[in-house]
Amino acid sequence: LYTQVPQSLSIYLGGRYDQRVAERFPALNVGVMFRQWRFLVAAEGYLKRELEFKSTQYSFNVQLGVLVIPKWLMLAADVGMFRAHDFELPTGISAEFKDELKRLNDEFQFRAAAHLFVYRNVGVFSVLYRDRFVENYSFSGADRKERELRFAAQYRF
């Protein structure tokens, strides 16, 4: 958001079926975005069912934004997660592919940001805080917690 906006509501629904060398899956995604005055609320979700491995994976993200000072300052935050149920490995699968499957980890993330518009809506200075938790990270089996504070300046043309 850069300026105040009239009320709008967007809803989308999508789906697909994909077949690859070692997997088949249907997937579904849905999203909603609502904007009014100085506020933005967006939510999206994804669902995937692995047919070969009998596993379900899903994720979601919810974003909130408020334009505190039009053409000057926007605050935003979002929260999201990804979950993957255990896989049932079929017989005859290669060891290399088994290792790839082990890399799917459950994740949870929260972010908050302040965006300062220094030149119209194309020159932006941002401060972002990110808090991320990854369960059973990589092959170590230990959980991983990350925190990050980032400063970024951008100019779009």
Side-chain angles (χ1 to χ4, degrees):
L1 289 172
Y2 178 65
T3 59
Q4 297 177 37
V5 296
Q7 183 175 327
S8 67
L9 175 67
S10 301
I11 301 172
Y12 65 86
L13 177 66
R16 73 184 226 186
Y17 175 81
D18 206 346
Q19 186 165 342
R20 300 178 183 171
V21 174
E23 64 179 337
R24 298 176 301 127
F25 63 87
L28 177 69
N29 65 303
V30 62
V32 176
M33 180 185 290
F34 178 75
R35 293 171 48 160
Q36 182 177 10
W37 191 50
R38 295 183 183 190
F39 298 99
L40 163 73
V41 179
E44 58 186 340
Y46 298 90
L47 176 68
K48 175 181 174 183
R49 177 66 183 170
E50 288 281 355
L51 300 176
E52 299 297 331
F53 307 110
K54 298 178 179 64
S55 173
T56 301
Q57 301 165 25
Y58 59 93
S59 64
F60 77 86
N61 183 271
V62 177
Q63 178 184 26
L64 303 171
V66 61
L67 186 61
V68 179
I69 304 169
K71 299 182 180 181
W72 187 244
L73 178 65
M74 178 188 173
L75 300 178
D78 76 333
V79 63
M81 71 168 215
F82 169 79
R83 294 284 183 251
H85 293 110
D86 291 336
F87 283 65
E88 291 182 22
L89 298 176
T91 58
I93 193 166
S94 71
E96 181 180 311
F97 195 70
K98 284 182 184 179
D99 288 344
E100 287 292 319
L101 291 173
K102 290 180 185 177
R103 292 185 186 156
L104 289 176
N105 300 305
D106 293 345
E107 295 189 31
F108 179 83
Q109 179 171 273
F110 166 79
R111 297 182 296 185
H115 305 288
L116 181 64
F117 301 103
V118 292
Y119 180 70
R120 299 186 184 167
N121 66 340
V122 295
V124 183
F125 179 75
S126 300
V127 178
L128 171 73
Y129 172 76
R130 181 176 72 112
D131 191 298
R132 181 176 176 227
F133 176 78
V134 182
E135 196 172 352
N136 298 323
Y137 181 74
S138 190
F139 296 104
S140 67
D143 296 339
R144 181 175 182 170
K145 180 81 169 173
E146 300 174 352
R147 289 190 180 103
E148 175 184 21
L149 182 62
R150 181 185 305 175
F151 299 89
Q154 64 179 325
Y155 182 80
R156 297 177 288 229
F157 55 93

